[in-house]
Amino acid sequence: MNRIAFLGPPGAGKGTQAEILSRELKIAHLSTGDLLRAAVAAQTPLGEQAKSIMAAGQLVPDPLVLEIVAERLRSLGPSNGFVLDGFPRTLAQAESLDGITPLDHVVAFEIPERVLLERLGARRQCPKCGSVYNLKTLPPREPGRCDRDGTELVLRNDDRPEALRTRLLAYHEQTMPLLAFYDRRGLLRRIDAVGEASTVATRVRAATADRPGPNARPHP
Ligand code: AMP
């Protein structure tokens, strides 16, 4: 089975790589950031609760995130697997995930902060369909417009410098402890996330092709 989670700071390329891997392996791509942004856009009760928290760059409270993840995983039914992009992000989320499904691989994206800041400053997104571009490395065909639907591209609210600082801090304080958590179980695969998307995709493929290491404990 390919039950995979991606861990890494904002801007590490998790979303791009999750899209590539899910297409290749024909597995579901579950991005909590995308699900939350969709809830905000649709003004659902969950979206209304999450909106200002996300704009500030903070993590949305665990119970809210768990609710949407559990629902999405249930709705997958029998499948080849999934790639979780941006989840889990706290120890509480990782422990709750254990009660829902085991994982086969956890890929940790390693990247210097300097490269992250460069990438995020150049990142633009389509507010309508969610497509992501990079002004330097993956520009749209027509400047400033989405290739898919022609909508004007925007800098994500939480890619602005102040929210970004908060997001990086949240990653260091709340998500980094998960590296040790999954390493202890023999599930962690560290990859170098610097380079072109296709180069990084090769590393992701290699990291998720092997079987869990000797330290892997059976899951409940
Ligand atoms: P992302 O697109 O993954 O960078 O997520 C954007 C924002 O959504 C984050 O900065 C958080 O506010 C929120 N978010 C996404 N995933 C999670 C999660 N697993 N736990 C808490 N908040 C999340």
Side-chain angles (χ1 to χ4, degrees):
M1 275 283 263
N2 289 300
R3 293 164 299 196
I4 299 162
F6 283 177
L7 293 184
K14 301 184 298 295
T16 304
Q17 294 302 326
E19 212 170 295
I20 297 173
L21 192 68
S22 64
R23 214 180 315 122
E24 281 180 8
L25 298 179
K26 297 187 173 43
I27 56 178
H29 171 190
L30 200 163
S31 155
T32 41
D34 285 351
L35 291 173
L36 288 166
R37 276 185 290 279
V40 170
Q43 299 180 329
T44 65
L46 166 73
E48 292 298 302
Q49 278 177 276
K51 188 174 177 175
S52 59
I53 300 173
M54 290 174 72
Q58 291 159 355
L59 291 186
V60 172
D62 293 330
L64 296 184
V65 178
L66 282 161
E67 194 183 306
I68 49 169
V69 171
E71 191 190 309
R72 263 310 299 274
L73 285 175
R74 262 197 307 272
S75 76
L76 287 182
S79 69
N80 295 334
F82 51 78
V83 51
L84 301 177
D85 157 17
F87 181 91
R89 258 167 149 114
T90 65
L91 273 175
Q93 291 178 12
E95 280 160 3
S96 300
L97 180 62
D98 268 350
I100 304 175
T101 177
L103 293 174
D104 302 303
H105 305 281
V106 176
V107 182
F109 286 59
E110 298 191 320
I111 183 162
E113 202 155 301
R114 176 183 49 80
V115 183
L116 290 182
L117 295 174
E118 247 171 56
R119 276 192 193 174
L120 291 171
R123 175 156 82 175
R124 295 291 181 276
Q125 189 166 29
C126 172
K128 191 167 170 199
C129 74
S131 297
V132 178
Y133 300 86
N134 183 293
L135 297 181
K136 288 186 198 148
T137 56
L138 191 67
R141 281 191 296 271
E142 188 190 335
R145 303 244 160 232
C146 179
D147 289 351
R148 284 194 196 163
D149 52 38
T151 306
E152 191 171 344
L153 302 176
V154 295
L155 179 71
R156 251 170 63 174
N157 236 348
D158 57 354
D159 280 347
R160 294 177 196 284
E162 201 173 309
L164 190 53
R165 267 195 297 277
T166 309
R167 288 165 74 207
L168 286 171
L169 198 68
Y171 177 73
H172 283 285
E173 290 182 348
Q174 294 172 269
T175 308
M176 276 185 74
L178 297 186
L179 299 178
F181 177 89
Y182 286 118
D183 201 18
R184 276 197 297 276
R185 298 173 169 211
L187 293 177
L188 195 74
R189 322 270 177 261
R190 296 175 191 271
I191 61 144
D192 175 5
V194 181
E196 290 196 7
S198 57
T199 312
V200 179
T202 308
R203 298 179 193 137
V204 172
R205 217 174 289 125
T208 52
D210 60 348
R211 300 271 46 95
N215 300 328
R217 282 198 256 126
H219 286 273

